[in-house]
DNA sequence: GTGTTTCAGAGGTAT
DNA sequence: ACCTCTGAAACACGA
């Protein structure tokens, strides 16, 4: 039986994905004191007064942890909530909170409650008790975050199904081989399966989201949707379905059918159009940005050659658009663009609300009747930035002579496969980044010896079968990456076990995705307030590796004497994992060595801070220039490849979202507030200029 | 390497 | 049962 998309809470079948289970897991994890250990990256002069605070605070935090599901920038928010709650709730409040949250089986509910709590706390703080503007800001912010989370969820499902397909195709290939030579010519049974024809992972992903009630706006709405601004880019039709912005992955016209006749809409005529996609499919379309002539649907020969082969009829979408004219109901207009800045080669932009001012029937180019609709863009909306790829961030330079403010052709001095230019349009005279030496790979302090004991897998060429590959077994009998787009991480994990020097596979193995160096054209650029920053000239798909955090691998204890240094990264896989937002944690199954090790690691950590860290103060790579953001587009992933000691894991940065060219790359530094101490032993504070809507205003 | 053709795919809508 | 046309593999072509 098909599960309808009715919003019911408790009908879901228990499964590894079942939210209620997930909540339970959080409960268990939250109940150990380890959570109070401060963030993984600190100023070195920290007198780690990591005195675990009172049980009260712990309880508070646990409650919020629970509520906070897995949300993006979870870490930041947890800290903030913990702080606010600390100010505003008493112990009773805490208990209530914990009880409420343990009842919540629906993750969306949990998030909602967390938001409520956050807002309530804010209001109590007096931050926005007087201002409506501020209050609405809070609402706005959560809508944006919800959209982002929904898209991340879609991406996760998508990559999961991509992997499933890749597995199937690989298996088909192998099975195809045995009947080799003459005996397998005609009547091959596997021939049908062998046709490794596209099984659309995007469609499977949206199906999954409907089953799980994860579509953000399952009810159709007239007008704009909160959290999706004019100019928003979607990277496939399926993404729009996932958030409920346009609920078909195929149709051009999305409309409300007869079923919406009741309730608040009883004075409208149905069907009623609410959103259309202009993708240049119809030969009779005319697109002049602010004014559009849109051709109705139907009569198409459906082979993609834009040819009309029949008369159109005033029904379905066509009728729905006519009703928009009669009722003056605006439609959302989405344009499709060819663009290299997408993993599908296409980008869809939301271009705003348009009024359907007129409609008529005429003989189209092919001589058949088509319905036409004149649309006019409503005034007072942000300017259209529609022309192909430029969109909002500006233009990517074509050659080095075109780069404005170039201060260095390649800060890596030829070490990286892709040169990294530096630009400075802020300082006068413009200066290049100084005070460090570029290192492409880790420098290991002389008193540290990297273990070299990792056993390898026996695969040949490229690993593909998770049942036989030893390295896949370490990852819970799955590969963490998909092959597509040169390797993408499906979802964040505690630790990723990659193939290493002792493995039989070659360098092109999918399980070596993070070992292949820089893939994107990155640029270091100067900002007015945040010092240096990094952006990419290329589109980066979600899950793609961006770079490793390189510096000197050092014992943490040796840094305490060093004075100011903002480039320390503590290697602390578990903490990193906890601080990570947006992506759900893999269901823990006992077979995972990671999990087996977890207790040990926790013991080590609960009594002390991480043993090793990466110091990029005087040597380092591109990663040392990447800024913090409270709503980042990258996340940290610990990776083990040449050995299996989590304390010495490699620290990789991956794309959390689809990142358009020229958007600044950021990750969450993960500082807990008040966790950083100056040389004088006093708490140090630093303002945050990330500019995110949900910025907590302090880096630490 | 680039351009063109092919076709499965699946939910919404109305019957 | 019908309608919708995307997305990506498969194919064809050219260097």
């Amino acid at each position: 039986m098909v599960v309808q998309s009715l919003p019911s809470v408790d009908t879901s079948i228990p499964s590894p994905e079942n939210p209620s289970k997930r909540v339970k897991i959080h409960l268990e994890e939250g109940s150990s004191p380890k959570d109070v250990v401060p963030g993984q990256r600190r100023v070195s002069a920290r007198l780690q007064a990591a005195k675990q605070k009172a049980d009260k605070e712990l309880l508070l935090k646990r409650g919020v942890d629970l509520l906070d599901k897995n949300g993006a920038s979870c870490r930041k928010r947890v800290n903030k909530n913990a702080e606010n709650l600390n100010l505003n709730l008493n112990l009773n409040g805490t208990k209530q909170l914990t009880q409420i949250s343990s009842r919540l089986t629906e993750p969306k509910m949990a998030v909602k409650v967390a938001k409520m709590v956050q807002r309530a706390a804010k209001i109590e703080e007096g931050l926005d008790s007087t201002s409506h503007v501020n209050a609405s800001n809070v609402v706005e912010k959560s809508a944006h975050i919800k959209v982002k989370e929904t898209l991340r969820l879609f991406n996760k499902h998508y990559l999961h199904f991509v992997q499933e397909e890749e597995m199937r195709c690989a298996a088909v290939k192998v099975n195809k081989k045995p009947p080799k030579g003459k005996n397998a010519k005609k009547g091959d049974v596997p021939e049908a399966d062998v046709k490794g024809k596209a099984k659309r992972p995007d469609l499977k992903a949206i199906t999954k989201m409907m089953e799980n009630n994860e579509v953000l706006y399952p009810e159709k709405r007239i007008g704009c949707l909160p959290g999706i601004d004019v100019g928003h880019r979607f990277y496939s039709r399926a993404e729009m379905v996932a958030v409920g912005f346009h609920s078909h992955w195929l149709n051009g016209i999305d409309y409300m059918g007869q079923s919406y006749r009741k309730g608040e809409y009883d004075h409208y005529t149905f069907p009623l159009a609410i959103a259309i996609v202009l993708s240049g499919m119809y030969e009779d379309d005319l697109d002049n940005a602010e004014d559009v002539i849109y051709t109705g649907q139907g009569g198409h020969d459906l082979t993609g050659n834009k040819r009309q082969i029949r008369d159109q009829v005033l029904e379905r979408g066509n009728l729905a658009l006519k009703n928009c004219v009669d009722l003056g109901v605006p439609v959302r207009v989405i344009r499709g663009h060819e663009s290299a800045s997408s993993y599908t080669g296409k980008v869809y932009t939301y271009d705003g609300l348009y009024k359907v001012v007129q409609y008529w029937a005429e003989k189209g180019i092919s001589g058949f009747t088509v319905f036409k609709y004149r649309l006019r863009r409503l005034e007072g909306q942000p300017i259209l930035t529609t022309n192909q790829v430029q969109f909002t961030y500006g233009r990517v330079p074509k050659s080095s002579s075109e780069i404005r403010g170039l201060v260095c052709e390649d800060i890596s001095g030829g070490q990286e496969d892709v040169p990294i230019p530096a630009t400075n349009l802020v300082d006068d005279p413009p200066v290049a980044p100084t005070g460090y030496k570029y290192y492409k790979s880790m420098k290991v302090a002389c008193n540290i010896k990297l273990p070299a004991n990792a056993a390898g897998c026996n695969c040949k060429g490229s690993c593909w079968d998770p049942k036989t590959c030893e390295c896949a077994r370490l990852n819970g009998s799955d590969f963490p990456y998909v092959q597509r787009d040169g390797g993408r991480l499906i979802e964040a994990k505690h630790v990723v076990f990659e193939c290493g020097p002792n493995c039989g596979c070659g360098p092109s193995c999918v399980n070596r995705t993070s070992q292949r160096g820089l893939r994107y054209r990155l640029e270091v650029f100067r900002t007015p307030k945040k010092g240096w920053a990094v952006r990419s000239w290329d589109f980066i798909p979600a899950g793609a590796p961006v770079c490793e955090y390189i510096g000197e691998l050092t014992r943490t204890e040796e840094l305490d004497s060093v004075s100011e240094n903002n480039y320390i990264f503590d290697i602390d896989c578990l903490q990193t994992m906890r601080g990570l937002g947006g992506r759900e944690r893999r269901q823990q199954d006992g077979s995972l060595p990671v999990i087996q090790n977890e207790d040990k690691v926790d013991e080590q950590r609960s009594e002390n801070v991480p043993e090793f860290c990466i110091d990029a103060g005087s040597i380092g790579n591109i990663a040392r220039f990447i800024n913090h953001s409270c709503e980042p587009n990258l996340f940290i992933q610990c990776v083990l490849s040449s050995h299996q000691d989590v304390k010495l894991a490699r620290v990789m940065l991956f794309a959390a979202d689809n990142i358009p060219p020229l958007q600044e790359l950021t990750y969450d530094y993960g500082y807990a507030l008040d966790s950083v101490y100056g040389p004088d032993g006093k708490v140090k504070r630093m303002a945050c200029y990330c500019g995110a809507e949900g910025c907590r205003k302090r880096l630490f």
Side-chain angles (χ1 to χ4, degrees):
Chain A
M1 196 173 87
V2 181
V3 180
Q4 281 298 317
S5 56
L6 293 168
S8 57
V9 178
D10 282 322
T11 51
S12 55
I13 303 142
S15 77
E17 310 282 351
N18 191 313
S20 61
K21 260 196 169 165
R22 217 179 294 137
V23 170
K24 210 165 152 200
I25 284 163
H26 271 267
L27 189 68
E28 282 155 16
E29 279 157 6
S31 56
S32 108
K34 66 207 171 196
D35 273 350
V36 196
V37 176
Q40 73 264 37
R41 197 184 163 190
R42 327 123 301 148
V43 167
S44 71
R46 83 235 130 104
L47 307 171
Q48 200 65 270
K51 263 183 227 150
Q52 325 240 312
K53 297 197 181 159
D55 286 351
K56 177 178 158 188
E57 186 180 329
L58 191 83
L59 269 167
L60 281 162
K61 189 164 181 320
R62 189 190 311 163
V64 178
D65 251 347
L66 264 167
L67 291 170
D68 215 333
K69 197 187 121 190
N70 50 18
S73 49
C74 157
R75 193 178 170 65
K76 158 205 60 135
R77 230 184 308 151
V78 164
N79 289 337
K80 180 165 185 108
N81 280 344
E83 228 188 22
N84 289 338
L85 290 168
N86 216 1
L87 288 169
N88 297 312
L89 294 180
N90 55 21
L91 197 56
N92 286 338
T94 312
K95 271 184 183 154
Q96 270 170 12
L97 192 60
T98 316
Q99 281 160 10
I100 291 167
S101 52
S102 59
R103 278 205 307 273
L104 296 173
T105 51
E106 169 73 33
K108 273 179 197 153
M109 275 290 280
V111 170
K112 222 183 257 171
V113 174
K115 300 266 160 63
M116 275 162 47
V117 170
Q118 193 175 12
R119 203 183 322 165
K122 250 195 160 165
I123 289 166
E124 276 198 49
E125 259 178 83
L127 283 179
D128 57 8
S129 52
T130 52
S131 162
H132 287 293
V133 180
N134 255 340
S136 73
N137 267 350
V138 174
V139 173
E140 185 96 359
K141 181 195 102 181
S142 59
H144 278 108
I145 289 176
K146 275 188 205 162
V147 169
K148 204 178 224 183
E149 283 172 354
T150 308
L151 290 173
R152 285 181 180 178
L153 195 53
F154 168 80
N155 265 315
K156 196 198 81 172
H157 290 316
Y158 171 77
L159 289 173
H160 172 82
F161 287 117
V162 166
Q163 182 177 53
E164 216 171 86
E165 272 307 288
E166 286 177 355
M167 294 293 192
R168 192 182 60 81
C169 292
V172 164
K173 260 184 210 157
V174 169
N175 291 337
K176 200 179 168 184
K177 275 176 188 168
K180 59 193 163 188
K182 300 165 188 172
N183 54 351
K185 256 187 184 171
K186 260 196 171 179
D188 263 345
V189 183
E191 195 60 40
D193 301 354
V194 167
K195 273 234 169 208
K197 195 62 179 138
K199 290 270 174 74
R200 307 274 302 258
D202 54 337
L203 302 185
K204 291 197 171 166
I206 52 179
T207 304
K208 181 107 189 166
M209 292 191 70
M210 287 174 192
E211 279 171 13
N212 297 357
N213 280 324
E214 290 164 341
V215 174
L216 183 57
Y217 299 114
E219 292 280 306
K220 298 189 188 194
R221 295 194 204 181
I222 297 166
C224 57
L225 297 185
I228 304 171
D229 302 326
V230 172
H232 187 105
R233 294 179 223 192
F234 296 95
Y235 295 93
S236 71
R237 292 290 304 267
E239 276 197 355
M240 290 189 252
V241 180
V243 291
F245 195 64
H246 187 298
S247 48
H248 306 270
W249 58 271
L250 210 49
N251 297 17
I253 306 168
D254 188 16
Y255 60 93
M256 298 164 122
Q258 304 300 334
S259 59
Y260 283 84
R261 193 153 38 185
K262 49 199 179 283
E264 55 178 312
Y265 296 109
D266 54 1
H267 51 292
Y268 289 112
T269 315
F270 291 95
L272 190 57
I274 51 163
I276 61 172
V277 179
L278 302 176
S279 48
M281 270 309 292
Y282 283 84
E283 57 187 5
D284 295 310
D285 270 0
L286 184 69
D287 185 354
N288 285 325
E290 301 282 326
D291 270 290
V292 176
I293 306 291
Y294 186 75
T295 310
Q297 62 189 187
H300 223 252
D301 79 351
L302 303 185
T303 55
N305 61 7
K306 299 189 178 186
R307 202 63 49 76
Q308 290 293 136
I309 56 162
R310 244 175 307 157
D311 286 344
Q312 292 188 345
V313 186
L314 194 57
E315 58 179 18
R316 299 171 188 274
N318 297 347
L319 184 55
L321 275 170
K322 171 200 175 288
N323 287 334
C324 282
V325 179
D326 298 345
L327 295 164
V329 168
V331 295
R332 301 189 287 270
V333 169
I334 300 128
R335 279 189 177 77
H337 314 266
E338 298 283 325
S339 168
S341 295
S342 170
Y343 58 97
T344 55
K346 259 189 165 173
V347 168
Y348 296 87
T349 56
Y350 171 44
D351 285 347
L353 293 174
Y354 284 64
K355 193 177 174 186
V356 193
V357 290
Q358 193 189 357
Y359 86 98
W360 66 94
E362 66 177 44
K363 291 284 177 213
I365 292 171
S366 299
F368 293 98
T369 303
V370 289
F371 283 89
K372 297 234 173 162
Y373 302 84
R374 182 186 297 282
L375 306 172
R376 179 157 305 135
R377 195 159 187 262
L378 296 188
E379 303 203 352
Q381 300 186 88
I383 301 165
L384 263 185
T385 50
T386 236
N387 269 343
Q388 295 297 316
V389 194
Q390 277 87 311
F391 301 122
T392 44
Y393 292 94
R395 226 164 64 86
V396 170
K398 293 252 169 10
S399 67
S400 67
S401 61
E402 238 188 71
I403 308 173
R404 297 206 307 140
L406 185 71
V407 286
C408 178
E409 294 253 359
D410 180 9
I411 62 162
S412 85
Q415 288 183 61
E416 303 282 6
D417 300 336
V418 191
I420 307 168
T423 59
N424 190 339
L425 291 166
V426 174
D427 298 323
D428 190 21
V431 290
T434 52
Y436 78 104
K437 197 166 181 316
Y438 198 96
Y439 267 58
K440 185 189 174 180
S441 44
M442 204 73 85
K443 179 181 173 188
V444 182
C446 49
N447 59 352
I448 298 177
K449 231 184 136 188
L450 285 179
N453 57 347
C457 63
N458 299 320
C459 306
K460 297 243 157 54
S462 183
C463 302
W464 72 270
D465 187 354
K467 289 190 275 300
T468 56
C469 175
E470 285 300 314
C471 300
R473 285 240 328 253
L474 294 171
N475 290 303
S477 296
D478 259 328
F479 290 107
Y481 302 109
V482 298
Q483 206 97 46
R484 185 170 299 202
D485 303 313
R488 290 166 69 176
L489 182 66
I490 296 168
E491 60 184 312
K493 305 178 129 201
H494 288 103
V495 184
V496 162
F497 289 87
E498 289 197 353
C499 293
N502 299 329
C503 293
C505 56
S508 66
C509 170
V510 69
N511 203 27
R512 295 174 184 271
T513 291
S514 82
Q515 300 168 30
R516 291 196 269 267
L518 288 190
R519 301 192 339 204
Y520 305 102
R521 294 176 295 165
L522 303 181
E523 173 200 352
V524 174
F525 67 102
R526 190 70 172 169
T527 64
K529 273 190 167 172
K530 300 190 291 186
W532 295 101
V534 179
R535 61 190 169 195
S536 168
W537 293 356
D538 299 311
F539 170 80
I540 306 178
V546 174
C547 64
E548 184 173 349
Y549 196 94
I550 295 290
E552 183 170 10
L553 190 59
T554 316
R555 283 183 189 281
T556 308
E557 64 212 22
E558 282 166 29
L559 282 167
D560 284 353
S561 54
V562 185
S563 59
E564 199 73 359
N565 183 347
N566 283 326
Y567 295 95
I568 310 284
F569 199 117
D570 285 333
I571 303 175
D572 188 344
C573 296
L574 291 162
Q575 189 57 49
T576 301
M577 184 65 210
R578 290 211 171 80
L580 170 136
R583 303 178 158 239
E584 277 144 71
R585 304 184 57 165
R586 177 161 291 260
Q587 189 72 28
Q588 302 180 359
D589 73 54
S591 66
L592 285 176
V594 202
I595 307 306
Q596 284 160 12
N597 292 342
E598 189 175 5
D599 288 339
K600 245 188 271 168
V601 177
D602 279 346
E603 276 166 35
Q604 289 168 5
R605 213 249 322 273
S606 60
E607 66 197 41
N608 218 325
V609 291
E611 200 176 335
F612 301 100
C613 61
I614 303 166
D615 177 3
S618 49
I619 66 160
N621 72 342
I622 178 80
R624 74 194 292 287
F625 295 108
I626 300 178
N627 283 319
H628 161 89
S629 172
C630 297
E631 283 164 22
N633 51 14
L634 306 179
F635 66 93
I636 302 289
Q637 173 66 62
C638 292
V639 177
L640 292 169
S641 47
S642 63
H643 61 79
Q644 292 179 359
D645 186 347
V646 286
K647 299 199 300 300
L648 289 163
R650 293 165 60 223
V651 173
M652 282 294 302
L653 287 160
F654 284 84
D657 306 305
N658 292 313
I659 305 174
L662 300 184
Q663 187 179 81
E664 186 186 345
L665 304 180
T666 55
Y667 65 99
D668 190 338
Y669 284 7
Y671 289 105
L673 288 181
D674 300 331
S675 67
V676 177
Y677 297 83
D680 53 357
K682 282 187 184 154
V683 170
K684 263 187 78 170
R685 288 163 193 236
M686 186 186 246
C688 177
Y689 297 109
C690 76
E693 282 170 296
C695 176
R696 67 177 184 180
K697 307 295 179 205
R698 279 176 59 194
L699 194 48
F700 50 79

